[in-house]
Amino acid sequence: MREDLFDRSIAAGGRFSHLLTQKPEYKDLVTFAWCKNTPVYNWFYYKEGYAGELVWNLLDRLNIKKGSTILDPFCGTGTTLLACRQNGYSAVGYDILPLGVFVSNTKLQQDYDMDLLQENIQKITKKKFTETRLKWPDLGFIDVKRAFSKYARKDLLFFKENIMEVEDEKIRNFLMLALISITLQASNVKKDGGVLKIMKKKNLPPVRHLFKNKLKRMNRDLKKSEPLPTGGFAEARLGDACTLKLEPETIDTCITSPPYLNWVDYTKVYALELGLLVDSSRDMEELRKKSLRSHAGAKQGRDVTYKSEKMRKIMENISDAQFNKKAQVIEGYFEDMYASLSSIYEALKEKGKAAFVVGNVCLPETIVDTDLILAELGEEIGFTTKEILVANVRWCDVHGIRKPRPVRESIVVFEK
Ligand SMILES: C[S@@+](CC[C@H](N)C(=O)[O-])C[C@H]1O[C@@H](n2cnc3c(N)ncnc32)[C@H](O)[C@@H]1O
């Protein structure tokens, strides 16, 4: 991280400037890079995830006792849950997407009947193809017929149908996770930022081949992995971080990363994988509306009451420039962040800590300092901001800006 870039960045920190600390060693840990190379964490590629090592670092830094219960209200594919569980902590996570909850819980499974697993892998990968009665749901904005070749489309459903018939729940989940995780590779779709692009891929391997290889790798990971420490628990649940239903004062620490305010709609980016888990396009639409308002497809129209002075200023800039649609998303995002901060505050024990990994946003007309706004919102609720660890600062590269401005990716640490 360049010194001058960091200095420029903290100059705009206002009353939180003294809490901003450079942490270049966290730069790669706020990305999925570490998970990509780590067994079990890499069973599903979730670009928006962070590193298990970051969770371990934060638990140490915040001095959290072993055996404590950690909450991740935006658990994604379960990095926090698995990292906590492997290290002698208990953990509970929530995600609005059934995909995240399913992947998290499957990664946390243990005590497999390994002989039975082997037998099922052999059986399913050798099974001769037959037509199935299962159908793809209408994914709405992406045409399944263009997203997959006829063979891939049918093969995926064939394997899904056979997996659904497996009696042992753990083995069924294991097989299903392998299938879901190869869906994108088996398609004619490429993820490009927050959108899916259809493009004819050359020499696409058959589904059966991808599935078999994935199962082989996952099975090898299972054989090598250490058993999880006894006594703890970890679980992901389907739920909305804005309205957590947790007993008050039962959680020791929260470590999480909400969706960034980057207009990315997770239900679109993971539409193909969700298509194997969700029954209908109506379910898909419902999910889209329920997610945090970090994109235009989410529900709009709750009351907005600007609880942060910084945010009020940003909104003035944006309204002046008449970017109303954009303004609506920003307002909704921070309203939802306020609601989720309040839920977390309630669930935390006295003196409980909360760490939020967030990214600031660069718009042509202004910078949205998510970390500072979050700090203001947290303090409004009753939290004390302890530190803001700056993992990364880059120059804003949005087309049309008048002068270059630094944009941070940070971890905001609160205490109740
Ligand atoms: C940045 S990702 C978290 C990634 C996670 N740290 C990991 O390593 O896998 C944010 C997650 O928040 C979820 N999400 C969006 N809106 C939500 C809401 N209202 N309640 C709970 N989770 C939500 C998204 O589905 C996404 O999985």
Side-chain angles (χ1 to χ4, degrees):
M1 196 184 305
R2 275 173 40 200
E3 208 63 44
D4 57 332
L5 196 54
F6 177 74
D7 291 345
R8 288 269 302 265
S9 138
I10 61 165
R15 72 182 165 106
F16 296 110
S17 284
H18 67 292
L19 296 178
L20 289 159
T21 314
Q22 255 189 102
K23 275 280 168 196
E25 63 271 35
Y26 285 171
K27 183 174 173 212
D28 291 333
L29 299 186
V30 295
T31 73
F32 197 67
W34 179 92
C35 286
K36 223 170 137 182
N37 298 315
T38 311
V40 187
Y41 289 87
N42 61 8
W43 282 1
F44 185 85
Y45 183 78
Y46 206 54
K47 187 169 169 282
E48 298 72 17
Y50 50 43
E53 193 178 317
L54 178 71
V55 177
W56 295 329
N57 260 290
L58 289 171
L59 288 166
D60 271 356
R61 188 178 179 88
L62 307 182
N63 222 349
I64 309 303
K65 276 204 316 276
K66 296 273 174 180
S68 302
T69 304
I70 317 300
L71 166 71
D72 185 348
F74 300 96
C75 71
T77 51
T79 312
T80 309
L81 310 183
L82 185 58
C84 285
R85 190 68 186 86
Q86 286 177 333
N87 229 12
Y89 298 87
S90 288
V92 54
Y94 289 85
D95 204 282
I96 208 79
L97 287 191
L99 175 69
V101 174
F102 171 74
V103 174
S104 300
N105 285 331
T106 306
K107 291 200 298 204
L108 288 163
Q109 289 185 158
Q110 57 171 357
D111 300 330
Y112 286 85
D113 179 335
M114 293 304 281
D115 291 337
L116 189 62
L117 177 64
Q118 195 56 43
E119 202 181 292
N120 273 281
I121 292 177
Q122 292 281 339
K123 195 169 146 202
I124 203 159
T125 51
K126 289 209 166 115
K127 192 149 191 176
K128 218 165 152 249
F129 174 82
T130 48
E131 293 282 347
T132 108
R133 273 171 297 140
L134 294 182
K135 287 198 169 27
W136 281 89
D138 177 3
L139 303 178
F141 50 89
I142 189 155
D143 182 358
V144 182
K145 289 200 173 133
R146 289 184 62 220
F148 298 104
S149 70
K150 185 172 83 187
Y151 301 107
R153 214 165 56 228
K154 290 186 171 195
D155 275 353
L156 285 164
L157 291 184
F158 160 75
F159 284 118
K160 177 181 170 176
E161 187 172 65
N162 280 284
I163 290 170
M164 282 161 60
E165 282 165 14
V166 173
E167 252 173 56
D168 185 292
E169 191 187 355
K170 278 187 210 158
I171 296 178
R172 196 167 62 233
N173 293 342
F174 184 89
L175 297 171
M176 194 62 188
L177 176 50
L179 188 69
I180 285 176
S181 72
I182 56 125
T183 306
L184 182 71
Q185 254 180 303
S187 74
N188 282 316
V189 172
K190 199 171 171 279
K191 287 189 182 168
D192 187 3
V195 289
L196 299 185
K197 285 195 175 148
I198 300 213
M199 47 161 60
K200 261 255 156 311
K201 294 180 193 163
K202 277 192 195 140
N203 305 324
L204 213 55
V207 168
R208 187 180 295 269
H209 176 84
L210 292 169
F211 186 41
K212 211 168 154 179
N213 278 346
K214 183 75 191 191
L215 284 168
K216 206 165 142 190
R217 284 197 300 274
M218 285 172 61
N219 194 20
R220 198 178 49 212
D221 288 350
L222 264 195
K223 284 184 184 149
K224 280 202 213 146
S225 50
E226 301 271 326
L228 296 171
T230 50
F233 76 92
E235 176 185 66
R237 302 171 186 160
L238 205 54
D240 185 346
C242 303
T243 54
L244 290 176
K245 308 241 171 340
L246 282 163
E247 284 290 308
E249 316 225 334
T250 50
I251 298 291
D252 295 290
T253 306
C254 166
I255 298 179
T256 196
S257 174
Y260 287 10
L261 179 56
N262 54 8
W263 279 261
V264 169
D265 178 349
Y266 286 73
T267 60
K268 283 192 178 169
V269 180
Y270 293 100
L272 302 182
E273 293 87 347
L274 278 165
L276 279 179
L277 281 182
V278 170
D279 288 333
S280 72
S281 47
R282 219 187 49 213
D283 296 345
M284 202 81 135
E285 197 49 39
E286 281 303 306
L287 286 176
R288 188 158 304 134
K289 287 199 192 121
K290 277 196 226 155
S291 58
L292 202 89
R293 284 178 280 174
S294 53
H295 60 90
K299 66 203 174 280
Q300 302 292 344
R302 285 203 216 152
D303 291 345
V304 175
T305 47
Y306 296 164
K307 294 170 190 83
S308 145
E309 193 48 41
K310 278 202 187 311
M311 169 152 172
R312 196 193 316 273
K313 289 206 181 106
I314 287 169
M315 298 318 294
E316 275 169 19
N317 275 342
I318 294 178
S319 307
D320 282 353
Q322 302 213 320
F323 280 93
N324 291 330
K325 193 80 191 159
K326 204 182 278 180
Q328 209 182 22
V329 173
I330 298 173
E331 280 173 358
Y333 180 78
F334 287 107
E335 278 297 301
D336 285 355
M337 288 306 296
Y338 185 83
S340 71
L341 273 170
S342 306
S343 293
I344 295 163
Y345 187 85
E346 278 231 338
L348 276 177
K349 294 180 185 165
E350 207 53 44
K351 296 276 172 207
K353 307 251 176 60
F356 286 80
V357 179
V358 291
N360 294 353
V361 186
C362 174
L363 303 173
E365 50 289 274
T366 189
I367 292 267
V368 181
D369 284 327
T370 305
D371 50 4
L372 304 182
I373 297 176
L374 200 72
E376 276 189 4
L377 295 178
E379 301 219 332
E380 166 90 20
I381 289 165
F383 277 116
T384 306
T385 313
K386 299 302 279 184
E387 50 187 358
I388 302 177
L389 308 167
V390 182
N392 192 14
V393 190
R394 58 177 175 84
W395 287 115
C396 169
D397 53 5
V398 165
H399 176 71
I401 55 163
R402 265 161 298 183
K403 58 175 187 207
R405 292 168 307 210
V407 192
R408 289 184 298 273
E409 208 168 351
S410 329
I411 305 168
V412 183
V413 180
F414 291 118
E415 186 177 270
K416 177 166 171 178

